[in-house]
Each structure stands twice: as structure tokens, then as C-alpha cells.
Amino acid sequence: MRRQPATTCPDRIAGAFSARLAPSRVDPRDVEYPVHIAPKPALDIAGLLKQHLEAQTLGELVTVFEPKARQYQQLKQIWNRLQPLAGQPAMHEFKPGKQLRPGDKHPHIVYLRQNLLAMGAIADNANPDSKIYDSDLAEAVKKVQQQQGLKADGVIGSATAALFNRPPQEKLAQLELAMERSRWIPDPSDGPMILVNIPAFELWAFNSPDDANPINMKVIVGKSPDKQTPVLWEEMKYLEFMPYWNIPKNIFEKEILPKAANNQGYLASQEIELVKHQNSEEKGGGSYMRARQRPGKKNPLGRVKFVFPNTADVYLHDTPSRAAFNRPRRDLSHGCVRVSEPKRLAEFVLGDQQGWDKDTIEQAMSHRKPATSR
């Protein structure tokens, strides 16, 4: 058999590498997942292989394909720590049988400590035989509860106890799914960045990818499964203070019109008005009537709207309904994201923009008249 020239080797083995080193294993568009991000450009895998073979740096090739976000690297570290446990016998089940509070004593606390150690939630097992639910364990449990969208109070009920009885295989599968999703979005830029963790109902705002003290707050996201918030990556353009709510057609027809049909004064009582909207020539011209709600206490967008134009037509915004932020599960919206601390987030976004400081932001959020941060 004639040996192929060495220069063709990268072309022959690129296919074998592509499945493992591709930007993602699955294109979310193929499974109709709600993603509004342009596909990542194709990589020249054969060229990269040739380059690293010649430089004898083939071991570094994998990192070229990995997301650069710190969160991805943290997921990878947890996966590496759990993976060896997948083939080991199952741990003792943690079944306290009753609600446990910090300071309580129970024989299964030994198993709780073992689980927290395996999860990396505690650094060591200094008191392996202790049956006291002490403050260190309670703080670790609070972190796990927060990560899983439960009330982070350190009280162990049935939902929290169930977290510690999940087999390693299930945890690994969940981590792999999170890592796969992180591959769908671009790598973080050097500047400020806002990330919404949709399943955790949390928002993080970073001044840079290495920001050690990011802003963190609760959010409300789209109701699953039919109104879930899509995955997207866009640039924030401006803020609208005391915004009008341009009511989407489907919401107006399904939720508002039936109420208006039974109550002639409903639209006026909710400060909803009908206005003529003119289409641009690019959209064929013409006009139609559109419903909008005036700024004020009844407006569901609250006092500020964070705008980043996107094909899904979603945005971040304030809300006059504050009680829902106390719920552990917060998938309640039509798709947009409601933020729990809008003023703080506005200060983050406009922090280096001339003419905007804490006082001017407070004034803009207090006046009845709409204003824009352009």
C-alpha cells in the first residue's frame, strides 16, 4: 500500500476531530430551540491541525475551540471533579425525614457532609462523624439552594434534600447541557457585560470578564414552555425612562380585548390608548392602529426599559409588581426579563456616559414624561 504524503494528514483526520472540537455539538436551530444568535463562523479545522502539528502544540488545540467565558471554565472544573464519581457505588441517601434547620442534630448529617464535599460546596470534611447541622454546612446548603433556584435560607426540606440524592450521572448530564449552551454564544468582550441566567432567574453585570465583584440581582423570565425567554447576544443601545408599553398584537387580542368587550371603560381605566402607526417604506408603507399604555404606575414596564434591538423583540425592564421576586421559581413573563433592581442596573449601564449620574437617573425615573438615554 502506498503511503500518503505527510502533508495530507490534517485533511484526513480533520473529520475525526471536528465532532469533538466543533463550536457546539448541536445547532439549536435544528431542534427549534429559541435562540436568536447568528451561527458562529466555520473554523478551518484542517488548517488548525496542520498549524499545531508543525508547531508541536497539538495538546493546546482543544483550548482554541473552548468558550473563553469564566463561567464555562468553572463548569468544566465541576465536571472534572464529578466525572470520577460516575463509576463509583452510590452514596448513602440523604433522607432526613423531616425539615432540618441550622443547629439541628440528625444521623444523616454525615451523608449531607459527604455530598457537599463531593459537590465541591465545602473544602474539607474536618468533622466526618458530626451529626450537627452546623453553620458551615448551612452556608454551603444556601449556595446550593441559590444555584438551583430555591429559597436560599439554609432550611432543608424535601426539595433541598432531593438535590443531594441525584446520581452523579444526572449531574454530569446537566453540566454537559450547560456547557453545550455556553458554546452557542460568542466569547465575552473586554468591556462591560450583562448576563441573564435564564434557568436560575438571575442577572449578573460585569465591568470586565475578570470582574471579581459583579452586580447580581433577581429577574423574572418568560413562562415555560410556550413563552420562554430566548437565548440571544446583542449590544445594548439605549435606555427609555418612563416608557410607553407598545402592546404586542397577540397580548392585546388574547388578554385585553376580552376584558374591554365586557367593560366599556376598561381601556381608559388602564390608561391604554389607540394610536395610528405608520409603516416605513421598507415595510411596504401604509398604516394601522396600535394599542399602547401610557407611562405610570399601571404600566408593566415600570420606570425604565433597557433596549438592545433583536429579532425576538425582547428587552429588560422594571416592573411595578415586586412581590413575584420573592418566589423561588420566576418564569412568569411573556418573554421579556423583569429586573429587581432597575435603578442599580441603570447606574451600571450609564456609569461612564456623560450627563448621567445617580441624581439624573433618579429624576428620569421619577418624572411622568418619557426620556431616552441616547
Side-chain angles (χ1 to χ4, degrees):
M1 180 182 293
R2 192 176 71 175
R3 178 183 296 177
Q4 292 287 342
T7 53
T8 65
C9 182
D11 298 313
R12 297 183 63 193
I13 63 177
F17 276 82
S18 62
R20 290 188 174 272
L21 300 183
S24 62
R25 296 181 183 178
V26 177
D27 187 331
R29 298 156 193 82
D30 294 340
V31 293
E32 298 183 357
Y33 194 82
V35 171
H36 292 257
I37 302 173
K40 289 187 177 181
L43 293 174
D44 180 11
I45 297 176
L48 286 169
L49 280 168
K50 181 178 179 181
Q51 175 185 336
H52 282 272
L53 281 169
E54 292 175 349
Q56 297 184 353
T57 57
L58 196 59
E60 301 174 6
L61 182 58
V62 174
T63 61
V64 175
F65 296 85
E66 287 186 340
K68 303 303 184 289
R70 183 176 60 182
Q71 291 76 13
Y72 178 87
Q73 298 304 322
Q74 291 173 336
L75 288 170
K76 182 179 176 182
Q77 291 172 8
I78 298 172
W79 189 94
N80 287 334
R81 187 166 61 245
L82 284 178
Q83 201 277 334
L85 301 177
Q88 296 181 7
M91 292 185 177
H92 293 286
E93 286 193 296
F94 173 61
K95 292 186 175 181
K98 63 176 184 178
Q99 194 176 75
L100 294 179
R101 297 179 179 276
D104 287 351
K105 185 176 182 180
H106 194 281
H108 279 204
I109 293 300
V110 174
Y111 306 146
L112 171 65
R113 196 182 302 272
Q114 292 172 357
N115 273 279
L116 289 170
L117 182 65
M119 295 168 67
I122 55 175
D124 56 52
N125 200 3
N127 302 301
D129 299 322
S130 174
K131 300 175 183 179
I132 303 297
Y133 182 31
D134 58 36
S135 59
D136 290 339
L137 293 181
E139 287 302 313
V141 168
K142 287 179 184 179
K143 291 180 181 179
V144 174
Q145 289 173 326
Q146 183 181 26
Q147 293 168 356
Q148 297 297 324
L150 299 176
K151 185 178 181 181
D153 55 6
V155 177
I156 301 177
S158 58
T160 299
L163 296 176
F164 301 108
N165 292 321
R166 293 163 55 199
Q169 294 87 344
E170 182 180 331
K171 297 176 184 178
L172 286 169
Q174 187 176 23
L175 286 166
E176 290 171 0
L177 177 58
M179 294 169 71
E180 169 66 14
R181 286 172 172 168
S182 69
R183 290 177 176 272
W184 299 345
I185 61 178
D187 288 326
S189 60
D190 293 333
M193 173 176 53
I194 297 173
L195 296 178
V196 175
N197 188 329
I198 300 172
F201 316 114
E202 286 190 327
L203 177 148
W204 297 85
F206 303 83
N207 283 300
S208 70
D210 297 323
D211 189 349
N213 298 296
I215 292 173
N216 174 233
M217 65 185 69
K218 297 177 180 179
V219 297
I220 293 170
V221 301
K223 188 173 180 63
S224 180
D226 56 328
K227 299 174 183 175
Q228 58 187 307
T229 299
V231 176
L232 51 80
W233 186 273
E234 299 290 350
E235 180 181 358
M236 189 170 291
K237 297 294 187 180
Y238 59 91
L239 275 62
E240 289 183 11
F241 294 98
M242 302 306 293
Y244 281 92
W245 179 36
N246 295 311
I247 306 173
K249 182 180 178 182
N250 64 322
I251 295 178
F252 184 75
E253 293 179 348
K254 294 180 180 180
E255 300 181 22
I256 296 176
L257 269 184
K259 296 177 181 178
N262 295 324
N263 181 357
Q264 292 185 354
Y266 179 77
L267 295 183
S269 69
Q270 299 301 309
E271 300 186 358
I272 295 174
E273 58 189 17
L274 300 178
V275 295
K276 186 177 181 180
H277 179 74
Q278 187 71 35
N279 276 328
S280 64
E281 293 184 3
E282 297 174 351
K283 294 184 178 180
S287 62
Y288 63 93
M289 297 302 293
R290 183 177 65 185
R292 70 179 186 181
Q293 191 171 34
R294 292 189 289 274
K297 295 181 179 179
K298 295 183 179 181
N299 189 308
L301 303 188
R303 299 165 296 164
V304 60
K305 171 183 174 182
F306 302 81
V307 182
F308 41 96
N310 58 87
T311 56
D313 195 26
V314 300
Y315 40 84
L316 308 178
H317 66 87
D318 180 23
T319 175
S321 304
R322 314 300 303 174
F325 288 111
N326 295 322
R327 298 185 184 185
R329 177 167 175 167
R330 297 187 292 276
D331 55 329
L332 306 167
S333 79
H334 287 88
C336 290
V337 178
R338 309 172 196 168
V339 299
S340 61
E341 301 178 61
K343 184 174 182 291
R344 189 182 181 198
L345 187 60
E347 291 171 358
F348 171 85
V349 174
L350 301 177
D352 59 353
Q353 188 164 322
Q354 187 175 3
W356 292 98
D357 56 26
K358 291 185 177 182
D359 291 337
T360 53
I361 290 173
E362 179 66 36
Q363 292 173 8
M365 294 179 68
S366 302
H367 290 175
R368 180 82 177 192
K369 185 177 180 180
T372 305
S373 69
R374 296 177 193 267

